[in-house]
Amino acid sequence: MSEPFPANEAHLQAEVLARALPHMQRYDDAVVVVKYGGHAMGDEQVARHFAQDIVLLEQAGVNPVVVHGGGPQIGAMLEKLGIKSQFAAGLRITDKATVEIVEMVLAGSINKQIVGFINEAGGKAIGLCGKDGNMVRARKATRTLVDPDSKIEQVVDLGFVGEPDTVDTMVLDQILGRELIPVLAPVAAAVDGGTYNVNADTFAGAIAGALGAKRLLLLTDVPGVLDKSKTLIPKLTIAEAHALIADGTISGGMIPKVETCIYALEQGVEGVVILDGKVPHAVLLELLTDHGAGTLITR
Ligand SMILES: Nc1ncnc2c1ncn2[C@@H]1O[C@H](COP(=O)(O)OP(=O)(O)O)[C@@H](O)[C@H]1O
Ligand SMILES: CC(=O)N[C@@H](CCC(=O)OP(=O)(O)O)C(=O)O
């Protein structure tokens, strides 16, 4: 339990709660998918605040679904094991040895860590990955990249990197609305039974689309989408986002993030926000106060 406000500040707490009411009503019974990126997870105190936010949402009648990443944590484990890793278009080129580590780190240690934090905050979290109940089946992902010098297009083999092919929400439908909070690791089954490493943003977008989520929040380590002079862009349309990818303003890990936003919006998700997950209570700030944070992308 946190320290109570002194008596003279208690009215402030009541005021704050009352002001959150219209926001709570807006999201009553709605599904909100929150993607918690590996870079945003670094600080344990921030992770505890994140867990509190998720439990508070659930208490307020929202149905939060957490999808987590873990890119830096996978990188650290690969380095420990002496396995080299490379990225193309923001995606980790994943060989057989790497996909085993990816599954171990994502569906094992990180998933259970987040479940632990949410349960410590008084929630009832259930940790799953895309393989559970055949929730997410993936197909092999490919990317075509243009060589900056020769300008020749090259197809890059990303190995065991998958893109969601089908999403079966049966397991999530059983969980949601019953005070249980699903926490999902972005590992999926291949149609032939193997394992695919799926970018966590892409995974979150597919889940949000399949569930018809009202909001998708992507928590990362930057304030949102930044322009060339590193200033936050508060609002973007799909067309503007495409243009920023094409002119190179959006690069690296921000590419799958923004592509996910576009996909989720096209699937019917009402609004998608990219925001800084290292800000304490970033989720509550975005959903339950008048001050939106980060970059809101809309159709
Ligand atoms: N235009 C941009 N605005 C903000 N971040 C960008 C942009 N272009 C590239 N990035 C990079 O994308 C990173 C976020 O993606 P990523 O590292 O994959 O985060 P996460 O682990 O949270 O998914 C930022 O830290 C930044 O280095
Ligand atoms: C294919 C691919 O790139 N998969 C990611 C999965 C984890 C992830 O996406 O984590 P963040 O959200 O922290 O970046 C990876 O291997 O790093």
Side-chain angles (χ1 to χ4, degrees):
M1 275 278 273
S2 54
E3 285 290 306
F5 279 136
N8 61 349
E9 285 182 26
H11 71 278
L12 182 66
Q13 185 178 12
E15 177 70 16
V16 168
L17 286 169
R19 280 212 207 176
L21 180 62
H23 300 285
M24 287 180 185
Q25 286 166 330
R26 174 148 53 117
Y27 291 109
D28 187 35
D29 241 359
V31 173
V32 172
V33 176
V34 183
K35 187 265 174 163
Y36 191 34
H39 281 112
M41 276 173 212
D43 183 307
E44 195 173 309
Q45 195 50 39
V46 177
R48 287 182 197 284
H49 286 144
F50 169 80
Q52 279 179 340
D53 290 6
I54 296 297
V55 175
L56 195 147
L57 286 183
E58 199 280 320
Q59 287 289 317
V62 184
N63 293 311
V65 176
V66 176
V67 174
H68 63 81
Q73 294 80 351
I74 295 167
M77 182 58 79
L78 290 173
E79 205 178 310
K80 234 189 239 176
L81 298 171
I83 301 172
K84 289 220 167 7
S85 202
Q86 278 191 315
F87 285 81
L91 301 170
R92 186 188 305 278
I93 300 174
T94 304
D95 62 10
K96 189 90 188 87
T98 302
V99 79
E100 281 177 25
I101 305 304
V102 166
E103 184 166 31
M104 184 179 92
V105 173
L106 291 179
S109 56
I110 294 185
N111 189 271
K112 298 313 155 204
Q113 225 172 46
I114 298 172
V115 165
F117 281 134
I118 292 177
N119 292 348
E120 271 176 46
K124 285 196 174 71
I126 299 205
L128 301 168
C129 79
K131 288 183 176 179
D132 291 285
N134 276 332
M135 192 190 310
V136 179
R137 297 263 200 155
R139 59 174 183 273
K140 187 174 163 67
T142 50
R143 286 288 182 279
T144 307
L145 294 181
V146 181
D147 184 286
D149 300 322
S150 65
K151 307 283 180 222
I152 294 171
E153 282 194 351
Q154 277 182 325
V155 177
V156 185
D157 184 358
L158 299 164
F160 295 93
V161 172
E163 267 164 352
D165 189 24
T166 56
V167 180
D168 183 342
T169 61
M170 190 202 193
V171 172
L172 294 174
D173 293 339
Q174 301 293 321
I175 292 173
L176 293 172
R178 297 182 179 207
E179 296 179 23
L180 299 167
I181 300 167
V183 176
L184 310 179
V187 172
V191 179
D192 61 7
T195 303
Y196 273 132
N197 175 13
V198 181
N199 173 272
D201 299 310
T202 314
F203 192 98
I207 295 287
L211 289 173
K214 194 169 176 87
R215 271 277 190 276
L216 167 64
L217 306 186
L218 299 176
L219 270 53
T220 183
D221 65 341
V222 283
V225 179
L226 308 177
D227 65 15
K228 280 214 157 57
S229 59
K230 303 284 171 221
T231 307
L232 175 71
I233 305 172
K235 274 187 184 170
L236 278 177
T237 62
I238 290 181
E240 288 165 343
H242 276 305
L244 292 177
I245 294 176
D247 77 4
T249 305
I250 291 173
S251 61
M254 195 50 76
I255 297 175
K257 226 176 273 306
V258 172
E259 284 175 343
T260 292
C261 297
I262 295 169
Y263 171 83
L265 291 167
E266 285 170 348
Q267 292 297 303
V269 175
E270 277 181 27
V272 187
V273 186
I274 299 175
L275 68 165
D276 190 348
K278 290 184 302 180
V279 171
H281 298 299
V283 174
L284 293 189
L285 268 172
E286 173 56 35
L287 293 176
L288 299 188
T289 75
D290 303 332
H291 298 276
T295 302
L296 171 69
I297 309 184
T298 53
R299 264 163 268 163

